[in-house]
Amino acid sequence: MNYQIIKEFPHPMMEKGKRPVISIYVDTNIKKPDRLENPIRFKNLVKEAQASLKDKEFKGFKDLFSLFKEMEEDALFWEGATESLAILGDEEECIVYKLPVNVKSLAIVSDSYYIKPMLRSFQSYGHYHVLGLNRDNFILFEADRDGIHGIPVDEKDSTMEGVLGTEKTAPHLSVASIGGDQSMYHGHGGAKDERKVDQEKFFRHVDAFILENYSKPYKIPLILVGLDEHQGEFRKLTKNKYLINEGIKVDVDSQDKKSLHEKVQNVMKELFKKELKERMDIFSEAHAKDLGSDDLVQIGRAIAEGKVATLYLEENKVHPGLFDPQLGTIVQGKIADPRVGDVYDDMAEVVLSRGGEVLILENEDMPTESDIAAVYRY
């Protein structure tokens, strides 16, 4: 068995229905030298997962636990860690998410994957990409409310020289005879025109590269940082629907990470305020027309019937128990029971698998006083 590092969320493995499954989260953003102990922390979490399995189940996970041992001893695996890791596995396969936000280290064995810690990372307002664009190169960052981090991109993709190489536009020359063996060379289009052609080629490459490798897999907003002239040219040709209208019109090279993060946060706060107000209005209108609810039992039934378009959950709230996705019923439980999960997490997983949206909000941002709410499909 091998593991795959995944960007897609949710992943088809989450919908297989294999039971039980293992979810392990490791906070890898530990300061050196303690960071070197990440493999040990992972090893201890694996032991917790093993202790939660019954003897009969343990045998079926033999290959997965062998893979966990290989991961524990793989120095390159831990050197490539981000803020945290999510490692999900069943008897047949294992996937790994490198998360740009901090999560609490934990190991859970239950009938469905524990995904709520990942939702904040993948929902649009909490996690975003930042593209710093110059005429002949770009740099890329991922950012959230806690910080901004550079994403390494090879020069063959991030610089005009690497992208165009020998394909740079050459001056156009024509030859006219002036008698005898003499010829006169006429240039058509000066250096300025050639630079403009090359810049457009490069910008089209940047747009396609970011769209295919980052925006489509992560589905999060993209903020453009660059001089006004570069912003205008790039926006004329972009096909990236995740690029937001509000850009930061400065030379990215003139910004340190702290000042860049502050500017990015200001843009995202304004975007989130606007989006949050729209969300509140949508829920209020839906609730008034019986097309939304903040009642747990009603929402459970609506999820089972595939009616939930958007599920709102309060951050850090846990409802211990089991949720039946076919019947929409809830069985209360105790979180101390290793086989009892979080009802809200189970609901979120079902909503996502059926094409719905899940938002994790702080208490003051919830559209109702309840810690759960939903808007139904029309």
Side-chain angles (χ1 to χ4, degrees):
M1 180 186 289
N2 295 314
Y3 67 84
Q4 287 182 291
I5 296 177
I6 298 296
K7 295 179 181 179
E8 176 188 0
F9 182 82
H11 187 267
M13 189 181 83
M14 299 174 185
E15 304 172 25
K16 285 184 356 184
K18 294 285 288 185
R19 300 182 181 183
V21 294
I22 297 175
S23 307
I24 296 178
Y25 289 84
V26 190
D27 177 7
T28 52
N29 188 34
I30 308 296
K31 302 299 181 185
K32 291 183 178 179
D34 291 344
R35 190 177 179 89
L36 300 177
E37 295 182 14
N38 280 326
I40 298 173
R41 294 184 177 90
F42 175 63
K43 179 180 180 179
N44 292 333
L45 290 167
V46 170
K47 287 182 178 179
E48 289 182 28
Q50 291 173 335
S52 296
L53 289 167
K54 299 172 184 176
D55 290 340
K56 184 177 180 181
E57 295 169 344
F58 191 93
K59 295 177 182 177
F61 283 90
K62 184 178 179 181
D63 290 343
L64 181 62
F65 287 129
S66 294
L67 176 61
F68 285 165
K69 184 65 176 175
E70 293 174 15
M71 293 164 72
E72 174 199 331
E73 297 173 350
D74 185 351
L76 291 177
F77 177 79
W78 298 103
E79 285 179 10
T82 50
E83 300 295 297
S84 55
L85 294 174
I87 302 164
L88 312 180
D90 60 21
E91 296 178 4
E92 299 172 342
E93 58 184 315
C94 176
I95 59 176
V96 176
Y97 287 95
K98 293 185 175 183
L99 303 179
V101 297
N102 295 99
V103 300
K104 180 181 178 181
S105 293
L106 55 83
I108 294 179
V109 176
S110 63
D111 288 341
S112 61
Y113 292 105
Y114 190 67
I115 61 171
K116 224 165 51 172
M118 281 193 283
L119 291 174
R120 184 166 66 92
S121 174
F122 280 88
Q123 66 187 21
S124 60
Y125 78 88
H127 179 208
Y128 30 91
H129 286 130
V130 180
L131 174 61
L133 185 65
N134 288 317
R135 189 186 76 82
D136 54 8
N137 68 82
F138 75 85
I139 51 179
L140 186 65
F141 303 89
E142 54 187 356
D144 56 34
R145 57 192 178 190
D146 299 317
I148 186 166
H149 313 278
I151 300 176
V153 181
D154 195 288
E155 287 187 3
K156 68 181 179 61
D157 288 307
S158 64
T159 66
M160 182 186 291
E161 187 70 30
V163 172
L164 299 183
T166 57
E167 296 181 14
K168 277 191 174 182
T169 305
H172 293 286
L173 300 175
S174 60
V175 184
S177 175
I178 57 174
D181 295 331
Q182 299 182 62
S183 298
M184 180 177 292
Y185 291 83
H186 299 279
H188 297 277
K192 192 172 183 180
D193 294 326
E194 295 154 20
R195 285 198 300 268
K196 188 174 181 180
V197 171
D198 289 338
Q199 180 177 302
E200 181 176 334
K201 287 180 182 178
F202 177 61
F203 279 9
R204 289 189 184 280
H205 161 82
V206 174
D207 186 53
F209 179 83
I210 299 298
L211 180 61
E212 292 302 320
N213 292 283
Y214 295 95
S215 294
K216 282 185 177 179
Y218 286 98
K219 298 179 174 59
I220 58 176
L222 175 66
I223 302 173
L224 183 59
V225 181
L227 297 176
D228 197 15
E229 59 187 285
H230 299 146
Q231 295 248 1
E233 291 302 315
F234 188 79
R235 290 181 186 279
K236 285 179 186 177
L237 57 83
T238 185
K239 296 180 181 179
N240 194 330
K241 67 178 183 179
Y242 297 97
L243 178 66
I244 66 173
N245 293 329
E246 295 79 7
I248 300 173
K249 296 179 180 180
V250 298
D251 181 354
V252 69
D253 292 335
S254 69
Q255 304 294 301
D256 58 32
K257 279 192 175 181
K258 183 178 179 181
S259 59
L260 181 60
H261 185 243
E262 287 175 355
K263 288 181 173 63
V264 168
Q265 279 296 91
N266 289 336
V267 170
M268 291 309 299
K269 282 177 182 176
E270 289 304 312
L271 184 66
F272 178 56
K273 283 181 185 177
K274 180 180 177 182
E275 181 181 323
L276 188 59
K277 185 180 183 305
E278 292 173 355
R279 297 285 185 179
M280 294 288 192
D281 293 342
I282 289 171
F283 177 79
S284 298
E285 183 179 348
H287 200 192
K289 297 178 180 178
D290 290 328
L291 291 171
S293 176
D294 59 1
D295 180 81
L296 177 62
V297 174
Q298 290 182 17
I299 293 172
R301 286 198 292 263
I303 291 174
E305 294 168 3
K307 292 182 178 179
V308 172
T310 305
L311 181 67
Y312 304 77
L313 296 173
E314 184 177 331
E315 190 174 22
N316 297 323
K317 285 289 184 177
V318 174
H319 191 102
L322 300 172
F323 174 66
D324 188 318
Q326 276 72 46
L327 300 176
T329 54
I330 297 163
V331 178
Q332 307 295 336
K334 294 182 179 180
I335 202 64
D337 184 341
R339 298 304 295 275
V340 168
D342 177 5
V343 170
Y344 290 164
D345 191 88
D346 292 344
M347 286 180 161
E349 186 175 344
V350 177
V351 169
L352 289 171
S353 71
R354 296 178 181 176
E357 178 186 31
V358 179
L359 295 177
I360 307 295
L361 303 175
E362 295 180 8
N363 174 268
E364 59 268 25
D365 295 328
M366 288 292 291
T368 172
E369 292 186 3
S370 174
D371 57 14
I372 184 171
V375 172
Y376 304 151
R377 303 183 196 278
Y378 290 93

